[in-house]
Amino acid sequence: MKILAVTACPVGIAHTYMAAENLQKAGKALGIDIKVETQGSTGVENALTDRDIEEADGIIIAADKTVDKERFAGKRVFVTGVQDGIRRPEELINLFKTDEVPVYKSGQRSPADSKKSSASKQNPIYRHLMNGVSYMIPFIVVGGLLIALALTLGGEQTAAGIVIPEDSIWKTVEGLGGAAFTFMIPILAGFIAVSIADRPGLAPGIIGGFIAANGSFYGSEAGAGFIGGIIAGFLAGYVALAIKKIKVPKALQPIMPIIIIPIFSTLIVGLIFIYIIGAPVAGVFEALTVWLAGMQGTSSILLAVILGAMISFDMGGPFNKVAFLFGAAMIVEGNYGIMGPIAVAICIPPIGMGVATFLNKRKYAKEERETGKASFTMGLFGITEGAIPFAAQDPLRVIPSIMVGSIVGSVIAMIGHVGNKVAHGGPIVAVLGAVDNVVIFFVAVIVGVFVTAFMVNFLKKDVEPALAIAGGAAIPDDSPVESKAASTNEGMLKLTDITNEDLIDIHLQGTSRDAIIEEMIQKLDDNGVLSSKVDFKEAIFAREALSSTGIGETIAIPHGKSNAVKRPAVVFGLKQAGVDWNSIDGTDAKIIFMIAVPEESAGDAHLKILQMLSRKLMDDTFRNKLLAVQTTEEAYQLLDTIQ
């Protein structure tokens, strides 16, 4: 079987590539040939060819922005969100082993699309909005950084602040940045409309966005801002979509998408916005601007708290984007004091998590520490998504920590009157001279970073005693570090010294974690390993309650130390369909080892078994061989090589 996939997230920095990597790993684990095309911030990579598509048995589209499906017409296509590509890649691939995925027909909405739209986590409004945001971000970044560059290299300090001389080339550079910046709202609106109605929505969307950004059309000194742009984008998209559905004579069909739909959609959207929507929205925006400009004391601190929380909560998701766009719109209105706290909050999650890995290595596996270096670097350039790998793995500890750090930094920046003249964040904007009160900016960032780092390290447990295996996961180890050096257990030379064919089951029947555990405990009891099933079961579930023993890469290692265990033993089982074990990487457990050791010998036997397993389970080939065994004897022969 050959499966193709396309991954894409609104920003195209982190989720796109995380989903691609997990789909490739899942395909390798399942023995499925899979190729993944990424539509990231740098464009399309590893593009699917016509031959790839012709040979494919199915296509997975894991995306939170619009992906053209027409090239896949006649193939089985399943459409879902990018998060599903990250969290349940095996499940997506296994769908093509059933008849659940229909064939996509050109020009028609697939059932998979409908299923996606009906799911709350794949809300179409969110998807359309994020499509517009993804195309808008390059204009914001280019415009903002060009203005920052011009201010840094060509600006002169005056009583009124940094001023660029009119006859300087840097004034031209500033103008280029300003030109890029003016496209922000029209591009946002245009590509929201494209996501809804495809290409016929582009012209009315961009024109509607331009009208929204220019209050002169409806008698307002201020435009309707990004809120008006979003309204214009959705209005243009749904108007164009409605016109597309009108049945017309065949003679008119060829000109519908290039003449009739754009003209009538633009006319309808323009008139509605000018005479009905524009002025009220602009009025709200003007009132909001006045309110923000007049905020003092506690009200401005409350705003900083809200902005810091929104920026860090979903690290590039919808909450983050709403706060960011609000700050960007305030820059257009000449209010730089909103983007200052936002610029601080943007960089604290990735830098904070990077610093956390530097401060306490025992809290992070080797791969996490490497990720920390990349996260730190991304934070310097204002890329909040750098913290996503940490949050995805341990959301209950990481997300509150980065939110608290961002809130603290944002509040300090607000109190210190930190301003930012460009729609971007992180130390890069301060270095380029776009930030007012630079010293306070860095104080806010440093304090927020260390609040995040200390808090997350306080909440996280040590993993240094664990034994690292493939994918950066770790085999849980409840024994003291110092006992590791002392333990040799010379009587146990290889795994088969404490297991046998009666303790192997390559066809586990349970369909849940608890059922599998019960099944494996019964194996131990049947082999005379236990004096009390009840007591050992309590030890196993007590260990699971501390943290999941699903270590990722389709592996789970439940283990218990109890006086109910007569001698060290290991049960090995396979569950080819997989079972949810709350694994740290979200994969279902298929390869399962249950370790049972007596309480009095736990320090020796427990560590020796974990050491044996760690050396072999690091090997992808060995794991695949385990998954492929057909008989108990074959499984025993493989286990006999673990020593």
Side-chain angles (χ1 to χ4, degrees):
M1 178 181 288
K2 180 175 182 178
I3 300 295
L4 304 180
V6 179
T7 63
C9 67
V11 180
I13 294 175
H15 287 98
T16 299
Y17 302 102
M18 291 167 65
E21 182 179 355
N22 284 1
L23 283 165
Q24 289 168 337
K25 285 184 177 180
K28 186 175 181 180
L30 292 170
I32 300 293
D33 183 12
I34 184 167
K35 179 179 179 180
V36 185
E37 172 184 294
T38 56
Q39 297 187 6
S41 57
T42 59
V44 175
E45 297 175 88
N46 200 32
L48 305 178
T49 65
D50 291 341
R51 182 173 180 179
D52 290 330
I53 297 170
E54 182 181 349
E55 296 174 349
D57 296 295
I59 293 95
I60 298 167
I61 298 178
D64 282 341
K65 70 176 189 177
T66 301
V67 173
D68 182 17
K69 298 184 289 294
E70 290 303 305
R71 55 181 167 154
F72 304 133
K75 293 291 182 177
R76 300 166 71 199
V77 178
F78 185 80
V79 183
T80 188
V82 72
Q83 289 289 346
D84 283 343
I86 295 171
R87 295 175 180 171
R88 49 192 197 97
E90 290 186 359
E91 183 179 335
L92 298 182
I93 294 172
N94 284 330
L95 285 172
F96 291 91
K97 297 180 180 178
T98 69
D99 295 326
E100 292 185 30
V101 183
V103 173
Y104 174 74
K105 297 180 181 179
S106 179
Q108 295 185 4
R109 184 174 176 82
S110 70
D113 282 332
S114 300
K115 185 182 293 185
K116 176 183 175 184
S117 297
S118 65
S120 60
K121 66 180 178 179
Q122 303 301 336
N123 190 306
I125 300 299
Y126 165 75
R127 180 161 47 87
H128 300 323
L129 176 61
M130 290 299 101
N131 190 67
V133 169
S134 69
Y135 283 97
M136 178 192 65
I137 283 176
F139 291 87
I140 294 177
V141 173
V142 169
L145 293 183
L146 281 178
I147 292 172
L149 185 65
L151 288 169
T152 302
L153 300 180
E156 297 178 356
Q157 292 289 349
T158 69
I162 300 177
V163 175
I164 301 173
E166 291 292 334
D167 58 351
S168 168
I169 188 175
W170 297 112
K171 192 66 178 179
T172 304
V173 173
E174 182 191 35
L176 291 173
F181 207 70
T182 59
F183 284 98
M184 177 179 76
I185 293 173
I187 290 296
L188 170 67
F191 282 93
I192 287 174
V194 167
S195 179
I196 297 168
D198 213 335
R199 292 183 183 180
L202 181 62
I206 288 180
I207 294 170
F210 181 77
I211 293 171
N214 290 271
S216 59
F217 283 95
Y218 37 87
S220 171
E221 292 184 5
F226 76 93
I227 296 174
I230 291 171
I231 294 172
F234 279 102
L235 180 62
Y238 285 115
V239 168
L241 186 63
I243 297 175
K244 279 177 67 176
K245 293 180 178 179
I246 297 174
K247 293 184 179 180
V248 297
K250 288 186 177 179
L252 292 178
Q253 288 179 358
I255 64 172
M256 284 289 288
I258 59 174
I259 298 177
I260 294 177
I261 296 175
I263 288 177
F264 281 94
S265 298
T266 299
L267 186 62
I268 292 169
V269 171
L271 292 175
I272 289 176
F273 212 96
I274 290 171
Y275 290 107
I276 299 175
I277 298 175
V281 174
V284 171
F285 207 78
E286 287 173 346
L288 180 61
T289 303
V290 171
W291 176 70
L292 290 172
M295 281 196 311
Q296 299 291 331
T298 56
S299 60
S300 61
I301 291 174
L302 176 60
L303 178 63
V305 169
I306 294 170
L307 293 175
M310 291 178 69
I311 286 291
S312 56
F313 175 69
D314 54 2
M315 295 154 287
F319 283 95
N320 175 286
K321 290 298 183 291
V322 167
F324 179 81
L325 291 175
F326 175 64
M330 289 299 99
I331 293 176
V332 176
E333 300 300 324
N335 186 340
Y336 307 126
I338 303 302
M339 187 53 81
I342 289 174
V344 170
I346 280 172
C347 66
I348 285 174
I351 296 178
M353 291 310 303
V355 170
T357 64
F358 304 155
L359 291 177
N360 195 336
K361 295 182 179 181
R362 290 191 302 169
K363 301 284 184 179
Y364 305 91
K366 181 178 179 181
E367 184 172 284
E368 289 179 296
R369 296 197 294 269
E370 291 301 314
T371 302
K373 297 175 184 177
S375 176
F376 182 88
T377 303
M378 291 174 73
L380 297 178
F381 290 89
I383 302 173
T384 317
E385 287 86 348
I388 286 176
F390 297 100
Q393 181 171 314
D394 192 3
L396 295 180
R397 295 181 179 90
V398 172
I399 292 178
S401 301
I402 62 178
M403 286 182 68
V404 171
S406 290
I407 289 170
V408 169
S410 180
V411 168
I412 293 173
M414 184 69 80
I415 293 173
H417 303 292
V418 173
N420 180 17
K421 298 181 178 65
V422 299
H424 200 67
I428 182 66
V429 296
V431 171
L432 292 177
V435 171
D436 297 329
N437 296 326
V438 175
V439 173
I440 301 299
F441 174 89
F442 280 106
V443 168
V445 169
I446 292 169
V447 172
V449 162
F450 279 98
V451 166
T452 289
F454 285 130
M455 182 172 173
V456 75
N457 283 348
F458 175 77
L459 294 175
K460 289 179 75 70
K461 298 178 180 179
D462 289 354
V463 298
E464 182 67 22
L467 302 172
I469 69 162
I475 299 176
D477 178 9
D478 303 320
S479 304
V481 178
E482 55 268 24
S483 69
K484 189 179 296 185
S487 72
T488 55
N489 202 341
E490 297 296 337
M492 184 167 50
L493 300 178
K494 54 185 179 179
L495 190 66
T496 48
D497 289 337
I498 55 170
T499 194
N500 55 56
E501 292 185 13
D502 292 333
L503 291 174
I504 296 173
D505 188 345
I506 62 172
H507 301 293
L508 291 168
Q509 300 300 309
T511 56
S512 67
R513 182 201 69 173
D514 292 1
I516 293 290
I517 287 175
E518 293 269 10
E519 201 172 338
M520 299 182 89
I521 289 175
Q522 187 60 51
K523 279 276 186 185
L524 291 167
D525 193 53
D526 291 344
N527 278 265
V529 175
L530 305 177
S531 60
S532 170
K533 283 201 309 181
V534 174
D535 289 351
F536 182 66
K537 180 179 175 181
E538 288 181 359
I540 285 286
F541 282 107
R543 175 59 189 85
E544 291 291 337
L546 292 174
S547 63
S548 174
T549 56
I551 62 174
E553 301 290 340
T554 73
I555 301 166
I557 308 181
H559 52 283
K561 300 172 285 187
S562 172
N563 290 326
V565 179
K566 300 177 183 178
R567 64 179 187 276
V570 171
V571 182
F572 169 67
L574 289 179
K575 181 66 179 178
Q576 293 290 352
V579 63
D580 183 9
W581 214 283
N582 293 320
S583 299
I584 60 174
D585 64 354
T587 59
D588 289 345
K590 297 184 177 183
I591 300 172
I592 305 164
F593 289 89
M594 177 176 282
I595 302 173
V597 292
E599 186 73 46
E600 64 272 13
S601 63
D604 293 334
H606 187 203
L607 284 168
K608 183 67 174 179
I609 297 167
L610 290 173
Q611 289 168 352
M612 287 179 175
L613 290 174
S614 69
R615 282 192 289 267
K616 274 293 185 180
L617 293 178
M618 289 177 67
D619 185 350
D620 290 346
T621 302
F622 182 77
R623 294 201 309 274
N624 290 334
K625 286 181 179 179
L626 280 178
L627 284 169
V629 297
Q630 300 296 316
T631 65
T632 299
E633 293 79 8
E634 188 179 350
Y636 182 83
Q637 289 174 3
L638 279 174
L639 298 185
D640 192 47
T641 65
I642 300 178
Q643 55 186 339

